Amino acid sequence: MLEIRWHSRAGQGAVTGAKGLADVIATTGKFVQAFAFYGSAKRGAAMTAYNRVDDEEIINHEKFMNPDFVLVIDPALTYTDDITMNEKDSTKYIVTTHLSLDELLKTQPKLEGKDVYVVDCMRISQETIGRPIPNTPMLGALMRVSEMYSIEFFKDNMHKVLSKFPKKVIDANMTAIERAYNEVNNKRG
Amino acid sequence: MADKMELKEVEVWDGNLASAHSLRQAQVDVVAAYPITPSTPIVENYAGFLANGYVDGEYVMVESEHAAMSGCIGASAAGGRVATATSSQGYALMVETLYQASGMRLPIVLHVVNRALAAPLNVNGDHSDMYLGRDSGWIQLDSFRPQEAYDLGLMAFKIGEDHDIRLPVMVHQDGFLSSHTAQNIRPLQDDVAYNFVGEYKPYNAMLNFEKPATYGVQTEENWHFEHKARQHFDLMTKVMPKIKSVFAEFENLTGRKYKIVEDYYMEDADIAVIAMGTTVETAKLSARIARKSGLKIGVIGIRVLRPFPFDEVAEILKNVKAIGTLDRSSPNGTVGMLYNEIAGAMLGIGKAPIMRNYIYGLGGRDITVEMLKNIYNELNEDAIAGKRLGAVQKFINVRGPELTFLGK
């Protein structure tokens, strides 16, 4: 069972991202689950979304999760959310930030010693899609870090998931995914 | 003619979208709706399907849930296939009309996305609304995952619309845990689904002017009791056989097997828990793990809440030593509904197993695999001791000191 937790703000597309990821993974014959916790959430409120992936039918409906990946798609949530909650030794973090990994660890010392990757999904989505919708670039970064699928396979399938959108929007998302795939890193020093 | 939709063999849908597709494929004539969280996307998606030409029907926007069910009653009495969806406060407001619908024997299908009842206000899932309607004369089917909300959504029409049955049917699913959780779904293609549900054949339609009919008449002491008795008679004698035959037909078509009472690992079980909704599946997972450490635990899921499957439940539980009933609704001054029903079923066959009642998950509070394992261990100790070692009722995962009631 592979488990993923997204930290996001309502409106940034974590639910759509989790759903899109599930759509792509389901095409490979695996079983998926994508869900989120909402309160009476307003746009901008911190929220979490989740994915489960398994080779057999998923019957676990608990909200509790020890995530394999934590995806932070809003830069400020690294400081205001408990993003290391219920982590495992092997949990990998992919954090949206304009900072380098060194700078990030200096500002958020509790990530020191953990498996952390940085990528600026905000800037990427602004420059490609034209709006701060960091969900699809985060999926590109996840493909690189998890080595789940090749970027070509992922983009082909994501293209189908996004097929109801105009070509311009789809193309911009493809560029965003590719850029995040190339730019995500865990470089020190 | 409505357009057909090309569906993949495996779709990734949440429970709400799954329910909406079941309504679309059944080609419902009238949906009168007043959307409420977490069931909103059912009628929202349905309205989208209709606007885009995938349904030939009418979508009536009304001013409240009371009006929504009233609209459904009118349309159903007129002779149409009718459905809607609601949750929680909306369901509570509908209650008066729920009794009207069943009393007039109108086979309306209502998707209920289970949610807590205020106060305090809460949009998350528990079974308070489902429990509220359990004496309303409707057939109540419960799904444990999004796929089942779709499957039961199709079967509901076939069960309720049968001329021997003519009763409204609720299809329940857990708020958010099913309604907003996307999972792999294997839908039927449109023609296959529609042929399974079948063309709607109205019974005493008001729009049939050749044969005038009256709905909603007044009967005082002279006839009221006989009407209610006849409705109860049909619920007690005709509905279960009909559900079984529809389940069998559905299994032949899809390979997916449904039972009045779902049971897992019960063959050699010493202890058992009874649950509803998504908790049934989590409990099954937890039992699978607990069995590895030697616990002879089985799990029962109530698929049909009304009519209640007394005989089926008692048959499965007859050799069990200790039973835990898991109720996801505030009992407010008594034991949970499942405790009462199961105790009645066991007493009915002269059995008196050790019984506990666990109240959990109110307002969407989590129930984990680990918490369920603790319950299994507690029941196992009871079974070994041959008696209940604690109080009858216990609240699970609530803040503050342990909350137990009725004995110690």
Side-chain angles (χ1 to χ4, degrees), chain B residues 28-165:
Chain B
V28 172
D29 295 310
V30 177
V31 168
Y34 193 78
I36 180 169
T37 302
S39 63
T40 300
I42 296 179
V43 289
E44 194 176 65
N45 281 310
Y46 185 82
F49 295 148
L50 194 130
N52 291 323
Y54 292 106
V55 185
D56 293 326
E58 294 290 331
Y59 183 91
V60 188
M61 287 187 285
V62 290
E63 73 278 14
S64 74
E65 286 84 356
H66 189 280
M69 185 48 67
S70 298
C72 287
I73 289 168
S76 183
R81 173 171 284 162
V82 176
T84 188
T86 196
S87 297
S88 182
Q89 309 305 123
Y91 184 97
L93 186 56
M94 240 180 220
V95 166
E96 191 234 351
T97 50
L98 293 181
Y99 282 75
Q100 303 274 9
S102 71
M104 292 185 217
R105 305 298 295 264
L106 300 170
I108 297 159
V109 170
L110 174 63
H111 282 261
V112 184
V113 178
N114 295 326
R115 166 187 151 181
L117 285 168
L121 187 63
N122 178 304
V123 298
N124 278 289
D126 72 27
H127 294 160
S128 303
D129 45 11
M130 173 162 67
Y131 279 30
L132 175 64
R134 67 189 199 261
D135 284 355
S136 65
W138 286 56
I139 296 164
Q140 288 179 283
L141 309 176
D142 190 36
S143 46
F144 312 154
R145 56 161 53 231
Q147 174 80 60
E148 297 175 353
Y150 169 82
D151 291 349
L152 294 170
L154 293 174
M155 288 189 269
F157 291 104
K158 222 172 156 57
I159 295 164
E161 291 174 356
D162 186 290
H163 281 188
D164 285 338
I165 307 294

Side-chain angles (χ1 to χ4, degrees), chain B residues 86-307:
Chain B
T86 196
S87 297
S88 182
Q89 309 305 123
Y91 184 97
L93 186 56
M94 240 180 220
V95 166
E96 191 234 351
T97 50
L98 293 181
Y99 282 75
Q100 303 274 9
S102 71
M104 292 185 217
R105 305 298 295 264
L106 300 170
I108 297 159
V109 170
L110 174 63
H111 282 261
V112 184
V113 178
N114 295 326
R115 166 187 151 181
L117 285 168
L121 187 63
N122 178 304
V123 298
N124 278 289
D126 72 27
H127 294 160
S128 303
D129 45 11
M130 173 162 67
Y131 279 30
L132 175 64
R134 67 189 199 261
D135 284 355
S136 65
W138 286 56
I139 296 164
Q140 288 179 283
L141 309 176
D142 190 36
S143 46
F144 312 154
R145 56 161 53 231
Q147 174 80 60
E148 297 175 353
Y150 169 82
D151 291 349
L152 294 170
L154 293 174
M155 288 189 269
F157 291 104
K158 222 172 156 57
I159 295 164
E161 291 174 356
D162 186 290
H163 281 188
D164 285 338
I165 307 294
R166 292 183 293 113
L167 283 167
V169 185
M170 290 178 202
V171 178
H172 293 275
Q173 64 177 307
D174 281 358
F176 295 100
L177 297 175
S178 167
S179 70
H180 286 65
T181 298
Q183 291 194 225
N184 309 55
I185 300 234
R186 291 180 172 274
L188 304 178
Q189 290 303 324
D190 287 1
D191 287 338
V192 178
Y194 185 77
N195 289 337
F196 171 77
V197 174
E199 197 181 328
Y200 183 59
K201 294 184 185 65
Y203 186 92
N204 288 340
M206 290 183 83
L207 283 183
N208 178 3
F209 300 120
E210 307 294 312
K211 193 185 165 199
T214 299
Y215 280 83
V217 295
Q218 186 170 7
T219 60
E220 291 304 333
E221 182 271 343
N222 53 355
W223 280 109
H224 181 88
F225 202 175
E226 281 71 22
H227 279 285
K228 291 295 186 190
R230 184 165 163 192
Q231 186 177 337
H232 182 70
F233 178 84
D234 290 350
L235 276 159
M236 294 300 276
T237 62
K238 294 180 181 171
V239 173
M240 285 303 192
K242 181 65 197 174
I243 293 177
K244 280 178 191 163
S245 81
V246 171
F247 281 1
E249 219 176 307
F250 191 78
E251 188 188 355
N252 282 338
L253 183 67
T254 65
R256 293 197 286 274
K257 187 178 174 63
Y258 285 84
K259 289 157 75 181
I260 302 286
V261 178
E262 305 287 355
D263 60 295
Y264 312 99
Y265 313 121
M266 284 303 299
E267 303 76 30
D268 63 341
D270 283 335
I271 55 174
V273 292
I274 292 95
M276 298 190 72
T278 52
T279 307
V280 176
E281 294 206 329
T282 311
K284 185 176 154 189
L285 174 64
S286 188
R288 195 186 288 166
I289 296 165
R291 275 194 163 251
K292 287 185 185 143
S293 54
L295 249 59
K296 283 188 164 178
I297 170 79
V299 175
I300 288 182
I302 303 295
R303 176 72 69 203
V304 182
L305 175 62
R306 285 294 182 274

Side-chain angles (χ1 to χ4, degrees), chain A residues 11-144:
Chain A
Q12 286 177 332
V15 177
T16 313
K19 178 83 200 320
L21 179 62
D23 271 323
V24 171
I25 295 172
T27 63
T28 67
K30 285 185 185 293
F31 291 92
V32 294
Q33 213 182 43
F35 61 100
F37 292 166
Y38 312 73
S40 296
K42 315 291 178 287
R43 220 175 161 76
M47 56 152 316
T48 47
Y50 301 80
N51 283 108
R52 287 192 175 103
V53 180
D54 209 351
D55 293 327
E56 52 186 286
E57 197 142 39
I58 298 169
I59 60 170
N60 189 357
H61 298 281
E62 65 182 0
K63 299 177 179 182
F64 179 81
M65 179 183 285
N66 298 122
D68 298 287
F69 292 92
V70 172
L71 312 179
V72 185
I73 67 171
D74 183 274
L77 295 175
T78 305
Y79 308 98
T80 55
D81 250 19
D82 186 6
I83 64 166
T84 58
M85 181 174 62
N86 303 324
E87 64 170 358
K88 303 193 278 198
D89 289 344
S90 58
T91 302
K92 286 178 163 48
Y93 294 85
I94 308 176
V95 177
T96 290
T97 178
H98 66 282
L99 303 173
S100 69
L101 180 54
D102 284 330
E103 289 166 338
L104 179 79
L105 296 178
K106 212 173 286 172
T107 56
Q108 181 45 288
K110 78 169 179 178
L111 290 175
E112 189 65 64
K114 301 185 193 304
D115 204 352
V116 184
Y117 294 77
V118 290
V119 56
D120 195 348
C121 293
M122 282 296 180
R123 190 169 54 84
I124 291 171
S125 64
Q126 288 278 22
E127 290 176 4
T128 53
I129 305 162
R131 290 167 59 208
I133 305 292
N135 55 358
T136 44
M138 179 53 84
L139 290 174
L142 176 66
M143 287 307 121
R144 179 64 172 271

